[in-house]
Amino acid sequence: MKKILMVLTSVSELGDTGKKTGYNVAEAAHPWKVFKDSGHFVDFASIQGGKPPRDEVDSQDPIQVAFTEDEATRAGLYNTARVDVVDPGQYDAVFLVGGHGTMWDFPDSEGLQNLVASVYDAGGVVGAVCHGPAGLVNVDLADGFRLVGGREVAAFTNDEEVAAGMDKVIPFFLADRLKEQGAIHVFADVFTEKVAVSERLVTGQNPASAAGVAKEMEKLLAEVIHQEKAEEQHEAEALRAEKDAKKEAKKAAAAGTEH
């Protein structure tokens, strides 16, 4: 069992339009189900802490309904921790949930940048979907390189912004900003699933990609678990061999004194 932190936006309005926004419920719910079904512990944080705003819930999607009705999840979302006070060492993975609000508060959050970099530098897995990759912008790793530099990254595309009627509302085009920072932007047709895996960074293009990102993260976490078990077994065998050697040495010593 691993600990996964899901990070949400704290922005409740789309720029100066007066229109409500928040985290995308589908992009939180579907990965949450993948993680929970795999037996992992899921925790929540947001940029400002407290109860994060959310977009509309699709009542026809049973996974979204289950997410919003789950008691542990509701408790976790009622008062999320601020990202800048979260201890990165507690988590094996971090997942950046999308929603247009992220475009305003994810890129310039030093707390989020430090959290993402710390988890990745420690060998953890970083995932993001749709507008969630806005939280990968400006993330510098311990080696001095940008996290997205030279890595394949999927995110909401310019064409999808136009199709959603958001191209004149957003502060910048996310795909363009990622490319400016050295990312290799990969994409599929508008609103179709696309997931990119680049080492321990997993990204998805849009809501349709949310579960796929979580599944690829789960594969990476399973590899970590397998490696940890192999190391534990190796340590146990080494300890057993050491104990056996001591026993044999005692027997040999006892046999020597008898003669």
Side-chain angles (χ1 to χ4, degrees):
M1 177 171 148
K2 295 295 182 182
K3 291 187 70 175
I4 301 168
L5 182 68
M6 300 184 76
V7 180
L8 312 164
T9 182
S10 293
V11 171
S12 60
E13 292 188 8
L14 292 169
D16 57 4
T17 65
K19 294 181 180 179
K20 298 296 183 184
T21 189
Y23 70 86
N24 184 290
V25 179
E27 294 171 20
H30 286 260
W32 165 82
K33 187 176 190 307
V34 172
F35 297 143
K36 295 289 284 185
D37 287 352
S38 297
H40 299 310
F41 176 81
V42 177
D43 208 350
F44 300 94
S46 62
I47 302 301
Q48 296 295 333
K51 188 175 183 179
R54 73 185 187 194
D55 285 336
E56 293 297 318
V57 178
D58 181 358
S59 61
Q60 301 303 308
D61 181 353
I63 296 177
Q64 290 188 47
V65 173
F67 174 80
T68 56
E69 293 182 351
D70 182 81
E71 289 187 10
T73 299
R74 292 178 67 172
L77 289 170
Y78 183 75
N79 189 22
T80 62
R82 290 199 327 268
V83 288
D84 56 358
V85 299
V86 169
D87 177 7
Q90 291 186 31
Y91 298 98
D92 303 284
V94 59
F95 181 89
L96 308 182
V97 178
H100 270 96
T102 62
M103 295 288 285
W104 281 269
D105 65 352
F106 271 22
D108 297 320
S109 170
E110 291 186 10
L112 181 57
Q113 294 161 16
N114 292 335
L115 172 66
V116 170
S118 295
V119 170
Y120 196 89
D121 283 331
V125 178
V126 172
V129 68
C130 199
H131 292 90
L136 305 178
V137 172
N138 301 324
V139 174
D140 294 319
L141 300 177
D143 59 12
F145 290 98
R146 282 274 156 92
L147 172 60
V148 299
R151 291 187 170 89
E152 290 191 348
V153 179
F156 209 61
T157 67
N158 295 1
D159 288 343
E160 286 172 322
E161 295 288 12
V162 173
M166 294 295 293
D167 54 306
K168 300 295 192 297
V169 177
I170 53 173
F172 59 89
F173 282 109
L174 179 55
D176 290 348
R177 183 65 59 85
L178 290 167
K179 287 188 287 186
E180 288 170 6
Q181 297 205 349
I184 303 167
H185 180 232
V186 295
F187 56 93
D189 291 338
V190 172
F191 301 125
T192 58
E193 181 180 0
K194 178 64 179 180
V195 175
V197 181
S198 191
E199 297 180 10
R200 288 175 285 107
L201 176 63
V202 186
T203 50
Q205 179 172 322
N206 44 39
S209 313
V213 171
K215 289 174 183 176
E216 291 299 328
M217 291 177 67
E218 171 56 28
K219 289 178 184 177
L220 293 172
L221 291 170
E223 290 178 8
V224 172
I225 293 171
H226 178 75
Q227 182 178 348
E228 288 176 347
K229 287 183 176 179
E231 291 174 354
E232 289 174 1
Q233 183 177 353
H234 178 73
E235 290 175 1
E237 289 175 351
L239 183 60
R240 191 178 303 115
E242 183 181 346
K243 288 182 177 179
D244 289 344
K246 288 181 179 179
K247 287 181 181 178
E248 291 300 322
K250 285 183 179 180
K251 286 181 182 179
T257 56
E258 289 176 2
H259 293 294

